Amino acid sequence: MRKVAKVFGAAAMVVCVGGVGGAARAQDAPPGNAVEGKRLYLAVGCFTCHGRAGQGGAMNGPAPILAKTAMPFDGFKGQLRQPANDMPAYAEIVMSEQQIADIYAFLQTLPGPRPTKDMAIFKD
């Protein structure tokens, strides 16, 4: 049963990060400081799984792409507070809502994944 819950949690995370609700993502977030968000993203170690440019990785999951995340801020914060997979939890005492908003603002400044049609390997 636990395995099913983990797989479902991972699938839900992929769906949220992958593009559901993209129009509501950044405008629902509290104001954040992208420069401070980058500092926190690197200092806390988010990059070790999600990559320096939020490109995701094959470690523990795989870790989803966070650059230009389509996940609404509340979903992003929920994942940090009560993660679905092997990600560590960040309680309010460890990471404030403002710090989460800063990281979210930083992630919104990163270029997201390129559309497949723009990749040379998929062209004629």
Side-chain angles (χ1 to χ4, degrees), residues 99-113:
Q99 290 173 316
I100 294 172
D102 292 344
I103 292 172
Y104 189 83
F106 164 64
L107 295 172
Q108 295 304 323
T109 68
L110 299 173

Side-chain angles (χ1 to χ4, degrees), residues 74-114:
D74 285 340
F76 182 77
K77 181 174 76 171
Q79 174 62 19
L80 284 169
R81 298 283 190 231
Q82 297 176 338
N85 290 321
D86 294 334
M87 187 175 138
Y90 293 92
E92 177 79 28
I93 196 164
V94 176
M95 185 177 292
S96 70
E97 186 160 334
Q98 183 59 56
Q99 290 173 316
I100 294 172
D102 292 344
I103 292 172
Y104 189 83
F106 164 64
L107 295 172
Q108 295 304 323
T109 68
L110 299 173
R114 290 188 339 208

Side-chain angles (χ1 to χ4, degrees), residues 23-80:
R25 65 176 179 222
Q27 57 268 35
D28 292 343
N33 179 330
V35 173
E36 178 62 9
K38 179 179 182 179
R39 187 194 70 73
L40 286 165
Y41 183 85
L42 296 173
V44 173
C46 305
F47 73 93
T48 59
C49 295
H50 296 284
R52 288 190 174 272
Q55 74 272 19
M59 189 173 190
N60 294 334
I65 296 169
L66 296 179
K68 282 278 193 251
T69 184
M71 181 182 287
F73 177 77
D74 285 340
F76 182 77
K77 181 174 76 171
Q79 174 62 19
L80 284 169

